[in-house]
Amino acid sequence: MANKFGKIISKVNKMPRFIRSFLLTKIFCFTVKFAGTSSIKLISVSHTKAVLFLENKKKVQNHIGGIHAIAAALLAESATVIVFGMNVPDRCVPLLKSMTINFERRMQGSLSAVAVLSEADIEQIENADKGSLMVSVEITDESQKKPIVCEMEWAWVTKRS
């Protein structure tokens, strides 16, 4: 079952590879203004996986030159909502229920986020009018280590008429 967002992403994914990331980023950042402000870049998006990137630029840095904690949280939240939102039926609305972020070590350089849904998760979303689930997201920095560990619980409920 595809929703409006999923249909748009499917069309973009049929375009030439060199333009996909640019278009995915523009579409997302037009809708989520703060993601555009922080220059989050969408690398690839499918119904089961979203890959995003945040470059360590001055506008997202903290006082020691690393990516600010809230910018890293935005990256994680964005990755999870994209893969989750692609699977929520149009009759429902996605809601962030909880976010837990543990900072394990100092972030070095730019960050990548990979959020994944299993086929069982997608089936659960499609077959229930409301519910919640944990969406896994893995954040890595330029050293290929995981500086933060995130848990994002997303819920969906039927829209009010």
Side-chain angles (χ1 to χ4, degrees), residues 84 88-95 155-159:
F84 179 74
V88 174
D90 286 333
R91 71 180 184 280
C92 297
V93 62
L95 303 165
W156 67 98
V157 295
T158 303
K159 290 179 183 176

Side-chain angles (χ1 to χ4, degrees), residues 119-159:
E119 292 297 330
D121 292 338
I122 293 169
E123 190 175 316
Q124 180 184 353
I125 296 166
E126 289 177 347
N127 294 325
D129 287 334
K130 67 178 184 175
S132 68
L133 58 88
M134 299 302 286
V135 180
S136 85
V137 60
E138 186 174 281
I139 306 288
T140 53
D141 63 14
E142 285 183 7
S143 70
Q144 300 306 309
K145 294 185 178 169
K146 298 173 189 163
I148 62 176
V149 177
C150 308
E151 289 184 334
M152 304 279 175
E153 184 177 8
W154 284 93
W156 67 98
V157 295
T158 303
K159 290 179 183 176

